[in-house]
Amino acid sequence: MSNININIEVHHVTRVEGHGNIVVNAKNGVLEECRLEIVETPRFFEAMLRGRPYTESSHITSRICGICAVGHATASLRATENALGIEPSEQTVLLRKLNFHGEILDSHVLHIYMLVAPDLLGVGSVIPLVQIAPEVVLRALRIKKLAGDLCAALCGRHTHPIAMAVGGFTHYPTTDELLALRARLVDARADMDATVALAKTLPWPAFTRETEYIALRKEDEYAFIDGTVTTTDGGRYPISDYRKVTNERLVTHSTAKHTAHKRESYMVGALARFNVNHDQLHPRAKAAAAELGLTPLCTNPFLNTAAQVVEMIHSIEDAIQLIDQLVARGIRPEPLPAFPGKAGEGFGACEVPRGILFHNYPDAGDAGAGV
Amino acid sequence: MPDNGKLKLGLYWAASCGGCEIAIVELREKILIVDQVADILFWPVAMDFKYKDVEAMPDGHIDVCLFNGAIRTSENEHLAHLMRRKSKVLVAFGSCAYEGGIPGLANLFDRQSIFERAYLESPSTDNPQGILPQTSYQAPEGEIHIPKFYNTVKTLGQVEDVDYYLPGCPPQPHQIWAVIEAILSGNLPPKGSVVGANDKTVCDECKHTREEKRIKKFYRIHEIIPDTTQCLFDQGLICAGPATRGGCGALCPQVNMPCRGCYGPAPHQIDQGAALLSAVSSVVAADTEEEAARIVGEIADPIGTFYRFSLPSSLLHRVRLG
């Protein structure tokens, strides 16, 4: 037995999205105490949304997260549309997918360059990185600007999207705007090559843990919006059966709800999506995965960041294809669908940058939206 | 200004979404300049300084603290007091810190009904034993504390002395930069001013043409196809532009969505919702009181429409308790 005593209290965990504290106590080499306190401030959108008109739900719920606001707004719109029996047009679906890629790029580039890379490069934060490797930071900012401009062209701004509505959009990008973005997306391939090269040099910790991974899956594409809930432990559920994988439980010592499926816990996010949907990645993204040594089923949670690099490449390539499709078919203003007169229960799901997201509105009519 | 000429900057997030932090990152290449002119001493989302690092600082050590998020819990309030003590200038950054913001819509409910909805009734929750988080909990490993959830959402200015208010959900990056430049040059307006905005209304920045037409019926966004050159208000869509301070560039009407008022009350107005209601009343085309009541009565969710971002800072503050 070692005679090492450890007493660690971290108030609070920094450089993550959210608030948490860590406490670790070890006496004579024996762990006495180890806990993660989630002290995140709950705002309870489930309660606030009651009584708000269905046309406002996406604008309110985008404020759940300023980093994946497009994802929350989209999941909200899908839940409302599901409740109202509204099918979005092909043009709406294409524009939403394009917008979504902008957000995936925006969030992943921040995580990879501003949060993870400084640690693995041993500089502590992005600020010293500015001094020792300005070209790396400038590259990240260039990709981020492209992502933000893409979202702004479609929705008025990235955080929080404005022009997305139930059943459509209130604003459309021009063909010239789309073609200008396309050219910048093509140019971004070089920045992504450099990102892969950087990711290859980072000293990823060698750690694996058998894990259940859960993500949305579609038959015809790498899923970000809609799909079936799919787990690497075996099992596929329609989105309306989401409770089979969430079943949120309460504990007295945390404001965060706990959830499990077949094991004590499961993982969502880029690595889960990669493990579930690897076969549907764009060839360039697959090549990057191979270069980074990422093969399914990958159980090293640190490589979630590598999976984000792979997803960025997929998003860039798919965004280029989507723009080609939109330009070829031409963009036409479409009226927003009328309220069909009644609403049932609605379910919506999206893969936001950090994981799967469900919106469930028991009564999406004006009197009782809920999350 | 400190001896090395660099500004000591602190950033903190309370009850918020992270969008205000993203707005800072949206300064993009100017972030590199920020590094040259400022030392960031506290920024939990991006840097590793801890609470104890801030507590160890002499009072007034930080030159400027940009504090975003509403005051929802005891921890939010504790940090508001701490950052006030350690900062020469405290800025309420973004709609939540300034006005209460979207989290402030919870002031239509009380703590108990919020807990019941979120922890017991919501369809995603499986809680047959009715377990609720406790502020103090005895675990085998020791006592665990989580912050107390207040009954009412407050603004930063309602719990601490605030020097400046910087509005927006989120604030526009070019406005943030203008404020940083003003701070660096010592060119700040009197204490209590709204900064990072202008002294006009959103209407003054809006490119749509307004004729102040009389309205016989208010519509919702899916009920009409608006003329994209004409004022949305004139077309019967309730737009908070007339009651909202300018500075955002009229982003929402620009993409044909009515303004929801995130930049707060227009200059010289106290209650944004009352001002918007007054703007609505002044255009209603009704011959009788009954007709006026019918037209206004058709507005869906008046509180959520008139006080979308400002309920905690309004004269209403919250729905009555008990």
Side-chain angles (χ1 to χ4, degrees), chain B residues 197-210:
Chain B
N198 61 38
D199 287 330
K200 299 175 180 175
T201 67
V202 169
C203 292
D204 294 317
E205 307 187 304
C206 184
K207 289 177 183 159
H208 296 212
T209 311
R210 184 162 192 212

Side-chain angles (χ1 to χ4, degrees), chain A residues 32 35 58 73 81 85 132 140 149 179 188-189 203 236 285 310 344 357:
Chain A
E32 291 196 328
R35 62 174 195 252
S58 65
E81 287 162 359
I132 62 162
D149 289 350
L179 290 175
R189 284 174 178 157
R236 297 188 72 170
V310 170
L357 171 67

